[in-house]
Amino acid sequence: MKPTSNFLSHLNPSQRRAVEHFCGPLLVVAGAGSGKTRALTYRIANLILQHKVDPENILAVTFTNKAAREMKERIQKLFAEQMAMQEYGEKYDLLPEFDQGKLRSRVYRTVIKDMWCGTFHSLFSRILRLDIDKYVDENGRKWEKNFSIFDDSDAQSLVKEIVTKQMNLDDKKFDPKSVRYAIGNAKNQGFSPKEFAIEQPNYRGKIIAEVYSAYQDKLAGNNALDFDDLILIPTRLFQQNEKVLDYWHRKFHHILVDEYQDTNRTQYEIIRLLSTNDEGKKSWNWDNRSTFVVGDADQSIYSFRQADFTILLGFQDEFGDGLEDDNTRTMVKLEENYRSCENILEVANQLIENNTQRIDKILKPTRAAGEEICLFKADDEVVEADFVINQIRKLEEENPDLDWGSFSILYRTNAQSRPFEDLLVKYQVPYNVVGGFRFYDRKEIKDILAYLKAIQNPSDAVNIQRIINTPRRGIGKSTIDTLVRASQELGTNLWEILNDETSVNTLAGRAAKSVNNFAGIIKKWQAEIETMPVTELVAGIIEDSGYVQDLHTQGTDEAEDRIQNIQALYNAVSEFQEENQENEESVTLQKFLEKTSLSSDLDKLKEGDAAVSLMTLHASKGLEFPVVFLVGLEQGLFPNYRSMQDPAALEEERRLCYVGITRAQERLFISHARERRLYGSREPAMRSQFLDELPEDLVANHHQTRQGYVKISTGSLPKRSDRNAFTSNTQSDVIQNWQVGDAVIHKTFGEGEITHVFDAGSKTSVAIKFTNLGTKIIDPRVAQLQKIN
């Protein structure tokens, strides 16, 4: 089949240059919304139609199954369109559905079926099905071709068994989840157990390496691989077996990799081996061969998954000609953006220019300027949520082209979703939490609520069974089953058994002490329901349950997110108490639980697929929405606290902000709060440094208090010298020389010690470690803070 004369006419010059590239290496730097998927699909079609490349000699690697499906569908339609003109003299879309189906079926048989297109894991597991019997690892472990692939749950169970039973380790110091995470990171960096022990020579590293080795023994014994092995083992196979590598190198003439900035070191190595046959650069032969990678360093936001964007930055030196951007023949930049209005792109461009580790490029608009970007300053997170939800309701009502699915709320952490969800429920606006659970459906929230429900209603056996061994107290399933069976035989509820120490001692055996301790917690707080403020009640239950303490010992990012969510639940209780303080009869645990139950029920509201999307910025990559609300732009939140003293981490936070901005097509709203409730108390919040990097002439600044809404200015931000105009004047407005180690006293939090000073000078914030409260970031200009001599 020959391509039609106008086959590439839909492409812009840069896209066409990338698509028509035939042999040799090429890096395509594809800006947000620049049509990278179109470039990839047209390139594959051009290789087959123009250069007669056999589809089975093409390897196209994507990072998600969704992206692989989309690529195949686009290629299928592209070929069907070519066939329609040649065989019917008619456009594909105008043909009867039957004829369209015939063409698609033929394209599948002749093109799609033989092409290797999929994720790293799907493609290389396919190779292992053919060749894994030729592999032997450093300890002599072997696998057969009918290997199983263990999912995360299977893998976690194996690690837990090794940690707690086989090696008898303290699972507080060596939490199985954090150990499993460390093993996964080691594999993504290409380390075997022995290599990991050399890389991490400390005591903890040595122990994890031993668990890693035992884990590989278990996997081999089960003839099983985990998800990370699907990349590591073919890489090792290629490194140790020249014949196997040479076969696959000769098979795949043209290699394409999407989202190249998200590759890790193991993925990079396997692409390098397939491309070069592990020969030196001077020996590389690019006749009828190519390596075509597409990515954008400015959208690299997954370092926590071991993604290494410097792999993309090093492509020109590793594979390319290494020449300057204007002279190189091995790099093409896709800079024309087809997604966003001009003002949104200008804001994104000016922000990302502050990063140093990047390939210089500018997103060029193909659309009109559009509306100004709205920068909204709220008194607190409640006012912020109120503004966002009311804007959504107003825009949806006034614009017939918009439905609920046109809106997205993007935040840095999952814990921020709660006030937005509460208002969406209140106004019965359908919504979805993308890539996560709704706030009240999250495990840690359901666990804490189960404690509260058990205290409010001890007859609730379902919630008691949920929490009796959560966190773990050494109360096994057989003990719980014995207690439940006894209650059923006696015709009473489970609590009647737990509430009787003699019965527990009789039935629970060695677990009796733990069961009685649990029952003691429930009884203690039951006695306080009628007299104690709800906030104190909830804080006490969280403390006595040991739930947060258990998460702290895990030391993982997931555990930290769960802690933040529990803090958000406590904030919800504080808010509930404040809102109802004039009617004390309404401020009860029972009323709060009714409120959360109502939220859970109304969360299920749906109107087809049209629903407001709530998601973290990490989950938003690859998506786009007509209207985007980017919320919580405050120091310590976004950028997050951990990145503020690490230049590389701060640049990743800025890339994350860039990704959020470039999700917007028509309208962009950015918000921050003057103060935010953390750990139940209100703390001053400092606006994000990223806001100072936006072009002032494209941003309209607004402010809203609990009493009303004010537009501060049109088209510009306050000048730096005026930034204090919207904060309280206190004695701390006088510039002081805050230093690490200073002992200070705060009116609300008491005594503490400064551990970090940020942006010293007239614009200072400090991190203070308070006794029993942990570390808080505070703006001395608005906080009542004094040094202790």
Side-chain angles (χ1 to χ4, degrees):
M1 180 174 61
K2 294 182 179 180
T4 58
S5 58
N6 62 348
F7 171 53
L8 304 179
S9 62
H10 301 299
L11 305 178
N12 66 42
S14 295
Q15 290 172 333
R16 187 156 186 161
R17 181 183 161 200
V19 166
E20 292 183 326
H21 173 85
F22 181 35
C23 296
L26 188 71
L27 166 64
V28 180
V29 180
S34 63
K36 71 179 180 67
T37 305
R38 168 174 282 195
L40 282 162
T41 52
Y42 270 83
R43 171 168 175 76
I44 291 171
N46 197 57
L47 287 172
I48 298 169
L49 292 172
Q50 194 69 48
H51 299 286
K52 310 305 178 187
V53 174
D54 193 318
E56 71 174 13
N57 297 136
I58 296 174
L59 179 72
V61 187
T62 65
F63 267 77
T64 65
N65 290 313
K66 178 184 175 184
R69 286 194 301 271
E70 181 182 357
M71 190 178 295
K72 289 176 184 176
E73 287 168 1
R74 288 200 187 191
I75 292 169
Q76 189 174 30
K77 186 174 182 185
L78 193 55
F79 274 84
E81 288 171 344
Q82 298 294 304
M83 288 181 177
M85 291 304 297
Q86 292 180 4
E87 296 186 16
Y88 295 93
E90 190 74 81
K91 289 184 177 181
Y92 170 83
D93 291 336
L94 299 178
L95 292 177
E97 188 173 330
F98 176 77
D99 291 332
Q100 289 182 1
K102 282 172 53 180
L103 291 177
R104 286 197 307 272
S105 178
R106 195 190 316 168
V107 173
Y108 176 80
R109 292 194 309 272
T110 59
V111 178
I112 305 298
K113 183 171 175 287
D114 293 330
M115 186 175 64
W116 286 57
C117 177
T119 64
F120 270 102
H121 296 89
S122 65
L123 293 172
F124 289 101
S125 65
R126 186 174 165 188
I127 288 175
L128 289 177
R129 291 291 181 196
L130 299 168
D131 283 335
I132 197 170
D133 58 334
K134 303 179 182 67
Y135 173 70
V136 181
D137 80 356
E138 61 184 10
N139 272 37
R141 304 180 187 96
K142 296 182 179 180
W143 284 263
E144 300 299 324
K145 293 179 180 179
N146 65 337
F147 60 83
S148 300
I149 300 174
F150 278 8
D151 62 19
D152 286 340
S153 177
D154 297 329
Q156 187 61 55
S157 296
L158 269 188
V159 172
K160 181 179 179 180
E161 180 182 341
I162 293 166
V163 168
T164 60
K165 296 180 180 178
Q166 183 174 326
M167 296 180 63
N168 292 317
L169 297 171
D170 182 347
D171 61 1
K172 299 293 185 184
K173 293 181 179 177
F174 293 94
D175 175 66
K177 284 188 178 180
S178 62
V179 172
R180 167 77 181 96
Y181 182 73
I183 292 171
N185 282 347
K187 290 184 177 184
N188 286 330
Q189 295 177 75
F191 295 139
S192 68
K194 290 180 181 178
E195 291 166 341
F196 182 77
I198 295 171
E199 181 72 15
Q200 299 286 335
N202 54 46
Y203 172 71
R204 181 174 178 80
K206 175 178 176 294
I207 297 299
I208 290 177
E210 290 177 12
V211 177
Y212 182 3
S213 183
Y215 173 62
Q216 293 304 109
D217 288 339
K218 292 273 190 186
L219 287 173
N222 285 281
N223 191 33
L225 305 177
D226 68 17
F227 209 53
D228 301 311
D229 285 326
L230 299 178
I231 309 298
L232 179 60
I233 287 182
T235 304
R236 290 298 176 110
L237 172 60
F238 290 164
Q239 290 169 339
Q240 73 177 219
N241 193 314
E242 293 180 3
K243 289 185 178 179
V244 172
L245 173 59
D246 185 63
Y247 171 83
W248 293 105
H249 168 74
R250 286 185 287 106
K251 176 173 179 60
F252 297 128
H253 301 172
H254 298 277
I255 298 173
L256 302 91
V257 185
D258 192 12
E259 304 287 6
Y260 194 64
Q261 78 281 348
D262 292 333
T263 49
N264 61 41
R265 282 291 155 184
T266 311
Q267 291 164 335
Y268 157 76
E269 179 65 8
I270 205 167
I271 293 300
R272 186 190 71 82
L273 290 167
L274 283 175
S275 298
T276 68
N277 206 14
D278 206 21
E279 296 178 348
K281 191 169 184 177
K282 292 182 179 179
S283 303
W284 290 351
N285 181 358
W286 290 106
D287 291 344
N288 296 314
R289 299 192 63 83
S290 69
T291 296
F292 182 95
V293 302
V294 182
D296 180 10
D298 291 339
Q299 296 185 73
S300 176
I301 58 174
Y302 296 125
S303 64
F304 63 94
R305 298 179 186 166
Q306 301 302 312
D308 185 351
F309 73 97
T310 64
I311 292 170
L312 182 146
L313 296 181
F315 183 90
Q316 281 286 68
D317 292 330
E318 179 72 19
F319 290 97
D321 54 28
L323 299 177
E324 296 295 325
D325 292 2
D326 292 339
N327 301 318
T328 181
R329 298 171 61 86
T330 55
M331 180 172 69
V332 173
K333 297 179 184 178
L334 304 185
E335 297 177 294
E336 290 185 60
N337 177 281
Y338 298 93
R339 175 188 298 157
S340 306
C341 291
E342 182 178 359
N343 287 346
I344 294 170
L345 297 184
E346 185 59 28
V347 167
N349 285 331
Q350 292 205 30
L351 174 76
I352 203 63
E353 282 177 2
N354 290 278
N355 272 11
T356 58
Q357 291 189 291
R358 60 189 298 261
I359 295 173
D360 184 50
K361 74 173 192 318
I362 296 176
L363 294 178
K364 299 173 182 177
T366 59
R367 304 183 57 196
E371 300 279 349
E372 286 180 311
I373 283 68
C374 173
L375 176 60
F376 179 75
K377 177 181 178 180
D379 266 9
D380 57 26
E381 76 281 1
V382 176
V383 176
E384 178 184 47
D386 183 70
F387 170 79
V388 169
I389 305 309
N390 278 313
Q391 285 292 318
I392 289 173
R393 295 169 67 212
K394 179 182 176 183
L395 289 169
E396 193 273 343
E397 182 179 347
E398 295 178 352
N399 294 273
D401 293 335
L402 300 178
D403 60 23
W404 298 124
S406 303
F407 303 94
S408 179
I409 304 171
L410 308 181
Y411 36 75
R412 181 63 181 82
T413 67
N414 276 311
Q416 291 171 255
S417 75
R418 199 269 309 164
F420 300 99
E421 291 191 60
D422 283 353
L423 283 178
L424 288 165
V425 168
K426 176 181 177 181
Y427 293 118
Q428 299 192 9
V429 175
Y431 72 95
N432 288 317
V433 178
V434 178
F437 293 103
R438 298 170 186 270
F439 183 77
Y440 290 109
D441 288 339
R442 293 168 188 161
K443 180 185 182 301
E444 59 277 12
I445 301 304
K446 295 182 79 170
D447 286 343
I448 299 300
L449 288 176
Y451 274 96
L452 301 178
K453 291 174 181 178
I455 290 164
Q456 178 66 42
N457 174 23
S459 298
D460 185 346
V462 171
N463 279 302
I464 285 179
Q465 289 183 64
R466 181 184 181 98
I467 58 174
I468 191 171
N469 196 43
T470 304
R472 288 172 295 172
R473 300 183 174 89
I475 305 172
K477 184 177 184 298
S478 61
T479 299
I480 297 170
D481 289 345
T482 298
L483 295 167
V484 170
R485 195 180 308 115
S487 70
Q488 291 171 343
E489 291 177 2
L490 291 173
T492 186
N493 60 59
L494 178 59
W495 176 247
E496 293 298 324
I497 302 293
L498 299 180
N499 196 32
D500 182 62
E501 190 170 330
T502 302
S503 298
V504 170
N505 291 337
T506 303
L507 295 168
R510 288 179 297 178
K513 183 178 179 181
S514 295
V515 174
N516 284 324
N517 287 341
F518 168 75
I521 294 172
I522 303 300
K523 284 187 280 189
K524 172 185 175 181
W525 294 105
Q526 272 183 301
E528 304 288 352
I529 282 181
E530 300 299 329
T531 58
M532 183 173 284
V534 181
T535 50
E536 294 181 31
L537 188 70
V538 173
I541 293 163
I542 292 172
E543 177 69 24
D544 281 5
S545 70
Y547 200 101
V548 171
Q549 183 180 357
D550 181 68
L551 290 171
H552 275 302
T553 61
Q554 294 178 21
T556 64
D557 288 342
E558 179 186 357
E560 184 60 34
D561 287 343
R562 292 184 185 277
I563 291 170
Q564 290 182 14
N565 289 335
I566 292 172
Q567 290 166 348
L569 176 64
Y570 181 72
N571 292 342
V573 176
S574 300
E575 213 169 89
F576 168 77
Q577 187 164 294
E578 285 182 6
E579 290 172 352
N580 295 279
Q581 58 188 350
E582 294 182 4
N583 183 8
E584 292 186 5
E585 293 181 359
S586 297
V587 188
T588 65
L589 178 59
Q590 183 178 18
K591 293 292 185 182
F592 176 73
L593 291 174
E594 286 177 1
K595 178 178 182 289
T596 63
S597 297
L598 180 63
S599 294
S600 298
D601 290 340
L602 288 177
D603 279 348
K604 296 168 186 161
L605 279 172
K606 289 195 176 180
E607 288 184 12
D609 294 326
V612 176
S613 295
L614 281 71
M615 69 190 80
T616 64
L617 284 146
H618 283 100
S620 73
K621 190 163 178 293
L623 303 176
E624 58 187 39
F625 301 89
V627 184
V628 167
F629 293 85
L630 184 55
V631 302
L633 270 286
E634 296 142 31
Q635 292 292 92
L637 183 58
F638 192 27
N640 68 12
Y641 172 76
R642 284 176 290 183
S643 71
M644 291 171 64
Q645 296 298 305
D646 181 347
L650 184 62
E651 290 211 352
E652 176 148 338
E653 289 287 292
R654 188 177 285 110
R655 292 195 293 270
L656 192 57
C657 189
Y658 174 83
V659 166
I661 290 171
T662 54
R663 299 311 93 195
Q665 297 170 299
E666 312 286 343
R667 297 290 304 275
L668 174 64
F669 295 80
I670 305 175
S671 62
H672 66 106
R674 182 178 59 80
E675 64 178 24
R676 189 171 290 270
R677 190 190 299 271
L678 298 171
Y679 318 108
S681 60
R682 295 206 168 276
E683 296 186 12
M686 175 181 273
R687 54 183 271 140
S688 171
Q689 66 192 81
F690 297 153
L691 299 180
D692 297 331
E693 298 169 1
L694 307 182
E696 295 183 354
D697 58 323
L698 298 181
V699 179
N701 195 26
H702 301 76
H703 180 211
Q704 185 171 333
T705 68
R706 286 180 179 262
Q707 285 70 46
Y709 164 82
V710 180
K711 182 171 182 179
I712 299 298
S713 62
T714 302
S716 65
L717 294 171
K719 302 298 181 184
R720 287 183 181 272
S721 60
D722 297 332
R723 290 272 160 78
N724 290 342
F726 312 120
T727 61
S728 303
N729 292 317
T730 73
Q731 62 183 15
S732 292
D733 284 338
V734 179
I735 297 173
Q736 297 194 43
N737 184 25
W738 303 104
Q739 295 182 346
V740 173
D742 281 350
V744 296
I745 187 166
H746 186 280
K747 181 179 179 181
T748 304
F749 307 136
E751 295 184 8
E753 180 181 326
I754 293 179
T755 60
H756 294 82
V757 178
F758 306 111
D759 300 323
S762 61
K763 183 182 176 183
T764 301
S765 59
V766 293
I768 304 172
K769 186 174 183 180
F770 292 100
T771 306
N772 298 325
L773 291 176
T775 300
K776 301 176 184 294
I777 299 174
I778 287 175
D779 182 352
R781 295 170 300 175
V782 296
Q784 296 186 21
L785 195 66
Q786 293 180 331
K787 288 186 181 181
I788 302 175
N789 296 327

